[in-house]
Amino acid sequence: MGSVVVVLAGRGDAAAARFAAGAGRMVRMLTPADLSEPGWSLAVPGADPSTAVISGERVASESIAGVVTRLAAVTEHDLPHIIAADRAYVAAEMTAFLLAWLTSLRCPIVNRPTAQCLSGPAWRRAQWIVAARRLEIPAVPVTLDAHPATPPLKTADQDGGTDIVVIGRHHVGAADPVLVARAHALAEAAGADLLSVRFDGDGPSARFVAASPWPDLGGTEISDAVLHLIHSRAAGELREAG
Amino acid sequence: MILLWGSPGDRPLARVRDALAEQGAALFVLDQVRAAETEIVLDIGATVQGRIVMGDEVCPLNEVSAVYVRSDSAGSVLADQSEDHLRHALALDELVTTWLGVTEARVINPFAAMASNSSKPYQAMLIARAGFAVPETLVTTDVEAVRAFWHRHGEIIYKSTSAVRSIVSRLTREHAERLEDIRWCPTQFQQYVPGRDVRVHVVGDDIFATEIHSDADDYRYGEREGASTELRALALPHDCADRCHRLAQALQLPVAGIDLRRTPQGEWVCFEVNPSPAFAYYEAATHQPIAEAIAALLMASGRPGPA
């Protein structure tokens, strides 16, 4: 079993940096700048293990205990070290590489990438609402529009309400058990291990508002739960393999 | 009603539109070039409701049974690139994309399924899992790894890892002098696979295979190299046709353009699955009824259920 947990994050992701700093050497931050280092290697179809370069150090894929993905895609903002004219292309190439590299890893990944997003489900709010409705979870309706002469309607931010962070089978956020169950159901429907779910109240009749696969990892409760999830999944996979 | 989304200059869209019109299908062509006179409203609640208004044409979205997607980025289709115009065009594209993610109508092809093509090595893993041989591939920032790969395979090519189009090129001694540049970004190299290119269009249960005769490394750009290119319709062996069908299903693509190469030893190697194939080029040369087949697939979708 690997020994290091990697958090894949964009340049300037302060929450990811706090998460890595708080966990000591156990967690290492990987940013797009690391992909501009000699030593990366991925073979397809891959019998050979891949090699990553994290903070200047080559890391074999078998040394990675798990990955926390905080990066939806590499953007030009992540690449100040690349000449401006090439940044858009390099961002696309790095995103494509990371999707393949993450998919090749056998360790637990939270959240597993999809072809549209390196950090899990890239659902728009409308998709979350439809998914909630299919699960018979009441949801706040939205109207979206685009008119050539008028600015688009702004969806009002929901003040108050309840946020529940789902981490695997666990959750953070004191909440009504009905809402907890609904948050888990949404996470499962989306295939997300890590999901922040907002409701517009704190009782069982509260309606779903929005969800995000990028909850703040800076708090100890959530970061500890994420690490626990990765390590328990890795141990479970090791038991199955044994 | 069948919704076609793209711009009038797009030949595949135009061919499908014509094939549908010949069948008398109810159509709405959402023309990206007419963004300035287009409005979209979406209500996402107990049901998904909405409408598109383009000039004096109206499309109630709950009447749409199927969609053919041939959209391009707003920035590349608009003549008017003013900030307001572009912003509105992007907003329209976003709403259509949002609606496509929640509609019960048949979408050819859904964006989530098309996305596998955004990463060639990722898609190659899926292709291999579906039972096709794929070229040995190395994506790396390590010059020594490239040299070892090159030595092992004798001849190798390099091309984009992402969906950004590149010209497939063989690695030569001149390139070797610039190999150190790969340290800035993982770069994709593949074993060169000799053989005959075959493009297979899968449309639902139908298969249309085209054999390409060209001496160019990348027949799409053969003219630039002074190479001639000839396309001929081909009857694919049954087992290969079956694998193509299974591959398209595995990738959840009702319409797919599969790039194969038949080696001198008779092996079929798969390079890529194009999720929005520009089939018009092949259809024009071979007269295969690809547009007609896509039109039939769209028309077979029937009435949508409640969203």
Side-chain angles (χ1 to χ4, degrees):
Chain A
M1 188 166 75
S3 57
V4 65
V5 173
V6 174
V7 57
L8 173 64
R11 171 174 166 249
D13 185 339
R18 283 197 303 274
F19 173 63
R25 286 287 294 175
M26 191 191 340
V27 176
R28 309 263 292 275
M29 208 138 124
L30 169 63
T31 67
D34 287 302
L35 271 69
S36 294
E37 294 288 341
W40 283 89
S41 185
L42 171 68
V44 177
D48 299 330
S50 63
T51 305
V53 180
I54 302 171
S55 302
E57 194 181 318
R58 294 193 186 204
V59 178
S61 53
E62 310 103 315
S63 301
I64 300 174
V67 181
V68 180
T69 56
R70 294 275 303 176
L71 187 70
V74 178
T75 67
E76 294 182 53
H77 169 75
D78 291 307
L79 306 172
H81 58 290
I82 301 291
I83 62 170
D86 290 346
R87 282 179 199 155
Y89 178 68
V90 171
E93 291 288 285
M94 285 185 174
T95 302
F97 171 77
L98 283 169
L99 174 58
W101 178 68
L102 288 169
T103 303
S104 75
L105 296 177
R106 290 185 171 82
C107 62
I109 301 179
V110 175
N111 289 312
R112 283 214 79 87
T114 64
Q116 291 182 295
C117 177
L118 296 176
S119 47
W123 286 7
R124 290 165 168 81
R125 190 169 172 187
Q127 288 168 286
W128 287 109
I129 292 171
V130 169
R133 192 160 46 74
R134 286 186 182 139
L135 293 167
E136 297 181 352
I137 298 172
V140 175
V142 294
T143 294
L144 306 168
D145 84 321
H147 190 283
T150 57
L153 288 171
K154 279 197 180 292
T155 307
D157 288 334
Q158 296 281 330
D159 292 330
T162 298
D163 289 311
I164 299 170
V165 179
V166 170
I167 309 113
R169 290 190 191 138
H170 302 285
H171 73 278
V172 170
D176 186 280
V178 168
L179 299 188
V180 170
R182 286 175 176 169
H184 277 283
L186 276 167
E188 186 176 339
D193 287 313
L194 181 63
L195 189 71
S196 174
V197 183
R198 167 161 282 216
F199 296 91
D200 69 350
D202 56 14
S205 62
R207 298 175 299 173
F208 167 78
V209 174
S212 167
W214 302 287
D216 187 349
L217 295 182
T220 315
E221 212 177 348
I222 295 174
S223 57
D224 285 352
V226 169
L227 288 173
H228 177 77
L229 174 64
I230 285 178
H231 289 305
S232 61
R233 284 256 171 96
E237 284 163 12
L238 203 63
R239 274 196 297 274
E240 278 178 24
Chain B
M1 186 180 299
I2 295 169
L3 178 70
L4 307 181
W5 184 31
S7 56
D10 183 71
R11 287 171 62 206
L13 190 81
R15 284 184 179 254
V16 170
R17 180 201 62 210
D18 293 345
L20 287 165
E22 271 175 39
Q23 298 296 316
L27 288 182
F28 188 92
V29 181
L30 178 54
D31 184 350
Q32 285 184 286
V33 176
R34 294 174 63 186
E37 47 175 320
T38 303
E39 173 189 0
I40 299 175
V41 178
L42 271 186
D43 291 306
I44 314 292
T47 58
V48 175
Q49 301 287 339
R51 67 180 183 278
I52 299 170
V53 179
M54 188 176 67
D56 54 9
E57 301 168 63
V58 180
C59 175
L61 292 176
N62 62 350
E63 292 182 10
V64 175
S65 59
V67 186
Y68 182 45
V69 178
R70 284 288 302 175
S71 59
D72 208 337
S73 63
S76 64
V77 302
L78 293 180
D80 178 356
Q81 295 278 316
S82 66
E83 198 180 315
D84 284 346
H85 194 195
L86 194 55
R87 190 184 317 125
H88 174 62
L90 289 170
L92 290 174
D93 286 356
E94 172 62 20
L95 280 192
V96 177
T97 303
T98 297
W99 173 69
L100 290 176
V102 297
T103 181
E104 293 284 325
R106 166 168 245 172
V107 180
I108 295 176
N109 283 319
F111 279 112
M114 291 203 277
S116 74
N117 193 246
S118 69
S119 168
K120 307 302 183 194
Y122 167 76
Q123 194 188 62
M125 294 175 187
L126 303 181
I127 293 169
R129 219 177 280 167
F132 264 109
V134 295
E136 293 280 336
T137 299
L138 174 69
V139 194
T140 187
T141 58
D142 186 335
V143 172
E144 290 313 309
V146 176
R147 291 197 210 284
F149 187 77
W150 197 358
H151 180 75
R152 190 159 97 243
H153 292 292
E155 269 193 292
I156 60 176
I157 60 97
Y158 64 95
K159 61 185 184 182
S160 286
T161 307
S162 69
V164 175
R165 186 169 267 228
S166 65
I167 302 173
V168 178
S169 304
R170 288 189 220 202
L171 200 66
T172 64
R173 295 207 184 285
E174 287 73 31
H175 295 119
E177 293 163 18
R178 291 191 285 122
L179 263 182
E180 295 290 336
D181 288 347
I182 68 168
R183 55 99 67 204
W184 293 107
C185 178
T187 303
Q188 179 172 233
F189 300 89
Q190 281 186 339
Q191 70 172 125
Y192 174 73
V193 177
R196 178 77 65 206
D197 283 315
V198 175
R199 161 63 75 97
V200 178
H201 289 100
V202 176
V203 181
D205 294 333
D206 293 327
I207 285 259
F208 305 95
T210 304
E211 196 172 46
I212 297 108
H213 295 256
S214 175
D215 294 327
D217 284 344
D218 190 334
Y219 70 86
R220 299 169 302 171
Y221 303 97
E223 261 185 51
R224 291 189 202 188
E225 296 176 31
S228 64
T229 302
E230 188 190 340
L231 279 62
R232 299 178 200 159
L234 174 73
L236 216 55
H238 285 308
D239 67 315
C240 186
D242 282 346
R243 266 188 288 165
C244 288
H245 271 129
R246 283 201 302 275
L247 176 56
Q249 281 168 8
L251 297 182
Q252 297 177 42
L253 295 170
V255 173
I258 300 175
D259 287 334
L260 302 179
R261 192 168 285 173
R262 189 179 62 227
T263 69
Q265 295 74 31
E267 186 185 24
W268 292 93
V269 179
C270 182
F271 286 80
E272 181 178 353
V273 180
N274 295 278
S276 184
F279 65 85
Y281 169 67
Y282 305 89
E283 186 176 71
T286 63
H287 307 292
Q288 292 164 326
I290 301 172
E292 211 175 284
I294 294 174
L297 198 59
L298 290 163
M299 290 178 68
S301 300
R303 293 177 63 110

